[in-house]
Amino acid sequence: MPEQSSPLDLAEGDPFGPHHLPYGVFSTPEHPDDRRVGVRIGGHVLDAGAAAQALGSPYARLLAQPGLMPLLAAGRTAWRDVRRALTAWVTVPAHRPDIEPLLHPLDAVTMHLPYEVADYVDFYASEHHATNVGRIFRPDGAALTPNWKHLPIGYHGRAGTVVVSGTEVVRPSGQRKAPSDPVPVFGPSVKLDIEAEVGFVVGVPSRQGSPVALGDFREHVFGLSLLNDWSARDIQAWEYVPLGPFLGKSFATSVSAWVTPLEALDAARTAPPARDVGLLPYLDDADEEEPGGFDIRISVAINGQVVSEPPFSSMYWTAAQQLAQMTVNGASLRTGDLYGSGTVSGAEPGERGSLLELTWNGRDPLDLPEGKRTFLEDGDTVTLSAWAPGPHGTRVELGEVTGRIVPAR
Ligand code: MN
């Protein structure tokens, strides 16, 4: 009889190999209400809590849970120790009899939002994106606002409408007023867009009144995932002056079902672009030990057709600077806080992270097999995927984030 192959025998270079081990929360069709922490290995999900219990691990209290909150709150030493234990469970042959029965094929489970999103903040950190948007909306003015190179600009979004990848997105309705309209009109958005972003997940809280320094980024931030900041450009354009994004963004934000721990991305750290102006000390990262950027290559697909490949390494502001900015006034962090990088756009036209930029606000439609696209149509599916360099020449593939547009209700 031929020896049966194990789900733990992965193809060489599998981007979900033991060097990655992203976390998620799953349920099975047999027990739909029983949510469990899962760790992805190859094409399977390991029931991490059951594994911890089967092996008598002290981390069962962090992993035998319906969500990631206890692990997020546990802090950097625990994150490292749990990851070390998981690596052993999926690589040491002696553990296989205990581990193999706890592996579920990915297509046999339902993935859920892996943590309770506490506060949600979104930034505007790509110079190319901000410049493009400035040129589109303020053709006669300076592309960047005077503050842009001095601080990472952001806004507070809506935590309660962050949804897991795969959740359908209902086309939002609202007020819009084109410059040629005499009065505003109400109806389904006609300029529904995407924003390809990376979202950072905060684990360890901070005390109100105490800013978090640049160098403490790794003490607080657990990991990252792809994020799609769905945006209704027509609603946004009419409402955003003078207080910023509101209903044009708050209807839905999609995140991947998988959170990649920062530890899996050590080989992807890279220096951000050169700074053009001197920064105030709380943002000045010139002397930081760890480079602030991440070399993450994003891909944006509409109905399976790749329309853009934004490079995250081109982001002007880093995640550590964003964390320092959002706490410098003493605002506190909570476990489960999520902050988006802002739309990722590179220097080239094929690297833009929104349809607003890719079609220049509808002027230059994209040619898709289904026809021309300026903004999203009902039935369109948008999928963000990405990879980053892993250790020893491997790749780390971020969990995808996908969503289909359904008609306004
Ligand atoms: Mn955004």
Side-chain angles (χ1 to χ4, degrees), residues 110-135:
T110 301
M111 299 305 299
H112 304 276
L113 193 62
Y115 51 94
E116 294 155 40
V117 181
D119 287 295
Y120 168 52
V121 167
D122 194 32
F123 284 93
Y124 192 53
S126 158
E127 180 174 3
H128 304 295
H129 172 71
T131 301
N132 289 334
V133 171
R135 286 194 182 129

Side-chain angles (χ1 to χ4, degrees), residues 177-224:
K177 184 188 168 301
S180 54
D181 291 338
V183 291
V185 297
F186 182 90
S189 168
V190 296
K191 286 192 173 183
L192 185 53
D193 198 358
I194 59 155
E195 291 191 343
E197 304 194 19
V198 173
F200 291 82
V201 182
V202 172
V204 174
S206 67
R207 243 177 68 208
Q208 195 167 358
S210 300
V212 175
L214 273 177
D216 288 335
F217 169 71
R218 292 289 294 262
E219 305 303 319
H220 292 273
V221 173
F222 171 79
L224 57 75

